[in-house]
Amino acid sequence: MNCVEFRLKELDVEHFEIREVLRCILHTIFFHRALGLVRPKDIDLELFDITYVQCGDVDVEKKIEERIDHFIERVEKHPNKKNEICLSFYEVKNKQATWFTNKVERLYWEQWYINLNVAQHHPKAHSNKSNPSKTVVDPGESAPEERNARRAALESSLREVMFQIIKFVNEKKDHVPSVPNLEGVSFPYEITISSSSDSAFGMEMFKRMLQTGHPSILS
């Protein structure tokens, strides 16, 4: 099985914009990979004039928030490293157990790579933990005109990424497996976060290539 890779346009963001941008991108991908009946929920971004759709699945929402928290922690601990999120969909294959392998093997069939270039010169801001949909905004010390121009550019780029996702899922379909007989709204998935210097992540990706074959890359 070949694993198809989709690399989305890199976005330049401020620290306080990370959460809303990642929510928008990840939920948009999940919605277009949803299984069966879902309860779509329109979400209006607070920082941008953009509306995206969630599947209405509590488990997916919780997992996305956990991984975004992890991503923000990585950015704060390693501000000068490039951090990347990879959303992977896979099939589960049962294997005969041996002394060096598990009974279950993951066969990755699609991976989405999200890169954010986080600016380091502005003060940080955090989401309201008591209400994750609320974001505390700290625009920093830039002039209003500069902030507005930069925000407009990011909003345009985020829209472009959303159209990129729609384009990819409509053009590339042959690799999508048959719908599994599983509960939940999504194919089996995982969300991983890596830094540019993570050798362990690189080795993990190499092992996946050995399992699934060379990936096809779209960008």
Side-chain angles (χ1 to χ4, degrees):
M1 175 188 294
N2 288 326
C3 179
V4 174
E5 290 187 359
F6 297 120
R7 294 192 174 273
L8 300 174
K9 177 181 179 179
E10 183 177 284
L11 300 177
D12 296 320
V13 303
E14 300 287 354
H15 189 284
F16 67 90
E17 295 165 329
I18 294 174
R19 188 174 297 274
E20 279 214 322
V21 168
L22 288 181
R23 281 176 180 163
C24 179
I25 296 173
L26 289 169
H27 279 291
T28 299
I29 297 171
F30 271 105
F31 180 74
H32 286 284
R33 282 288 174 253
L35 301 173
L37 296 176
V38 298
R39 297 178 179 177
K41 181 170 59 175
D42 289 343
I43 303 295
D44 297 324
L45 293 180
E46 292 190 0
L47 300 177
F48 311 98
D49 185 19
I50 291 176
T51 299
Y52 67 94
V53 183
Q54 294 185 0
C55 295
D57 183 86
V58 175
D59 291 336
V60 170
E61 293 174 17
K62 180 180 178 182
K63 187 65 174 180
I64 287 177
E65 290 303 314
E66 289 175 351
R67 302 314 289 166
I68 292 177
D69 286 341
H70 186 200
F71 182 87
I72 292 175
E73 289 174 2
R74 292 286 288 265
V75 170
E76 292 174 351
K77 291 180 180 178
H78 308 285
N80 297 318
K81 293 182 180 179
K82 181 179 289 294
N83 292 288
E84 179 179 71
I85 284 186
C86 177
L87 169 57
S88 303
F89 294 101
Y90 60 87
E91 287 186 287
V92 175
K93 179 181 178 181
N94 292 322
K95 296 181 64 179
Q96 184 176 356
T98 66
W99 67 273
F100 60 90
T101 62
N102 296 322
K103 291 184 179 181
V104 176
E105 180 183 12
R106 293 182 176 184
L107 299 177
Y108 295 85
W109 52 270
E110 184 175 275
Q111 293 175 322
W112 296 81
Y113 289 93
I114 306 164
N115 284 279
L116 300 185
N117 181 26
V118 183
Q120 302 302 321
H121 57 277
H122 283 299
K124 295 179 294 186
H126 303 275
S127 67
N128 185 338
K129 290 296 183 179
S130 62
N131 188 346
S133 66
K134 300 295 182 182
T135 305
V136 180
V137 178
D138 185 346
E141 301 298 330
S142 300
E145 296 81 6
E146 179 184 346
R147 292 202 306 269
N148 292 338
R150 193 201 59 78
R151 182 71 57 80
L154 176 54
E155 181 175 309
S156 176
S157 294
L158 184 54
R159 290 181 185 275
E160 185 178 339
V161 167
M162 295 176 72
F163 283 118
Q164 222 181 349
I165 294 170
I166 295 171
K167 177 176 180 287
F168 285 158
V169 298
N170 286 334
E171 290 184 353
K172 197 76 172 177
K173 300 178 181 179
D174 293 342
H175 66 290
V176 180
S178 58
V179 176
N181 184 22
L182 296 173
E183 296 182 358
V185 301
S186 171
F187 288 98
Y189 69 91
E190 68 179 16
I191 304 174
T192 54
I193 300 170
S194 69
S195 295
S196 55
S197 60
D198 279 358
S199 58
F201 183 83
M203 286 301 297
E204 179 64 24
M205 296 306 298
F206 178 71
K207 288 190 290 184
R208 289 182 193 174
M209 288 178 62
L210 293 179
Q211 293 176 351
T212 62
H214 293 288
S216 303
I217 301 177
L218 295 183
S219 58

